[in-house]
Amino acid sequence: MAVGSGPCLLAVALLAAAWISDASSSDKQAHSNRQYVNCMPCSRTYVADAYVDALTSQLSQHRDLTEVPDKSDLCKGLADELDVPTLSEVHRQLVGEGSHRGLIYSVKFGNSKDAMVQFLDGYDANLVIIEKLPSGVFADPFELQHFVERKVFLDVAVFGDTNLELPSALSNRSAVEIHFDLKPSTSMDYNLVTELPLHARYPPLDASGYATVEFGSPDLLLRYRRKETRPDSCVWALRDLHATPVEKAAWRIPCGDEAHTGFVSSLTFMSALVCSMSIVLAASLTP
């Protein structure tokens, strides 16, 4: 009797262990599905408003931008399991030459047409891209507003250092938050392609003649709310789309060679001196 019961007990133990393991993994998966959902009041226009320091600090570590410091009560009814738009492909490419270039984003949604239509019928939804710019690169907020006026972007904002005249050595980092309106008329092809124009600041001198900056992966979020909401209870839900890391982008910015400093300074001084003397001479000869 004891010999025959051994295999039975072993089988029962293995089944129990498997059940516990499955239950544990299911709990972890459910937790991971919930933890990236958070909410913010509609009075807050931009996700990055609460994270300017984290986005632009020279020493900051990456932070989850969906961790908006608001009460969890805001998310009631919005953090439920929904068939929300998901991403199947994300690509980013640096285009152009010289000191004025652009980042082209190509985003493809993975939902079926019926699921997308059903979701957008009941919710206003935006795709939010937050690009943390490396030191030495800036976006012109005035230029970006023209994209909003032409309805390329739903909204856009630049956070951090927006002084366009400062050289790289005296400037701080900045970040750009772009909003795209997801509508059935514009989202049914499951593709979104757009460009973010960027400009290089004057970099420090380098013997190679170039200064290289690298872009990290952007944050891609889905922001949505019910279509029928009262102003006093309007809440945006945020979901991290967990986009796979995009292709690295490196920008070689032309810069001056320190070995030429003396020659350039002397030439500039002589040119200024000759021009000044010419003006004085012309003024003295004028009757």
Side-chain angles (χ1 to χ4, degrees):
M1 182 70 176
V3 175
S5 62
C8 294
L9 292 174
L10 178 60
V12 171
L14 291 175
L15 288 173
W19 181 83
I20 293 171
S21 177
D22 291 342
S24 176
S25 61
S26 298
D27 290 341
K28 290 179 180 179
Q29 184 176 2
H31 175 69
S32 64
N33 289 337
R34 290 192 301 266
Q35 68 182 359
Y36 64 83
V37 181
N38 214 313
C39 299
M40 69 180 195
C42 293
S43 58
R44 178 180 294 161
T45 306
Y46 303 106
V47 179
D49 276 334
Y51 292 98
V52 176
D53 294 335
L55 289 169
T56 60
S57 174
Q58 300 283 7
L59 302 176
S60 65
Q61 299 294 322
H62 178 82
R63 294 179 64 179
D64 188 353
L65 296 179
T66 58
E67 295 176 359
V68 180
D70 287 313
K71 296 180 180 179
S72 59
D73 291 344
L74 289 174
C75 283
K76 285 184 177 179
L78 285 173
D80 298 336
E81 291 301 324
L82 297 172
D83 191 6
V84 301
T86 57
L87 300 180
S88 61
E89 293 182 21
V90 178
H91 301 283
R92 183 189 63 184
Q93 182 180 6
L94 183 65
V95 298
E97 298 290 340
S99 298
H100 306 279
R101 304 183 68 175
L103 286 174
I104 292 183
Y105 303 90
S106 177
V107 178
K108 184 176 181 180
F109 294 95
N111 300 67
S112 66
K113 180 177 180 179
D114 292 341
M116 184 77 84
V117 170
Q118 183 178 1
F119 179 79
L120 295 178
D121 280 345
Y123 293 86
D124 294 320
N126 306 148
L127 173 66
V128 179
I129 298 178
I130 300 180
E131 185 71 59
K132 299 175 287 294
L133 303 180
S135 180
V137 176
F138 70 93
D140 186 344
F142 304 103
E143 179 182 19
L144 295 181
Q145 283 304 314
H146 292 301
F147 284 70
V148 177
E149 295 170 2
R150 299 200 306 266
K151 301 188 184 302
V152 178
F153 303 152
L154 175 66
D155 203 352
V156 65
V158 179
F159 297 87
D161 197 338
T162 56
N163 188 330
L164 311 183
E165 303 299 328
L166 289 178
S168 179
L170 300 179
S171 65
N172 295 316
R173 294 183 62 180
S174 59
V176 183
E177 178 174 335
I178 310 171
H179 295 184
F180 299 95
D181 193 9
L182 299 183
K183 296 181 178 179
S185 58
T186 58
S187 305
M188 288 305 97
D189 58 355
Y190 304 101
N191 288 287
L192 187 152
V193 179
T194 190
E195 180 177 359
L196 171 63
L198 298 173
H199 311 279
R201 298 184 184 275
Y202 293 110
L205 300 177
D206 192 278
S208 67
Y210 291 92
T212 302
V213 296
E214 293 187 353
F215 293 80
S217 291
D219 292 287
L220 284 87
L221 311 173
L222 177 70
R223 189 178 74 160
Y224 61 93
R225 65 185 180 187
R226 292 189 183 90
K227 287 184 179 291
E228 298 179 0
T229 57
R230 299 191 308 273
D232 58 342
S233 61
C234 182
V235 173
W236 286 110
L238 296 171
R239 284 181 182 257
D240 190 341
L241 293 175
H242 293 297
T244 56
V246 297
E247 301 88 345
K248 289 186 177 180
W251 185 347
R252 297 183 72 231
I253 302 173
C255 65
D257 189 340
E258 191 172 4
H260 301 157
T261 302
F263 173 74
V264 173
S265 299
S266 300
L267 184 61
T268 302
F269 175 76
M270 292 301 298
S271 299
L273 181 62
V274 170
C275 291
S276 301
M277 295 299 295
S278 300
I279 294 173
V280 172
L281 181 61
S284 63
L285 295 178
T286 301

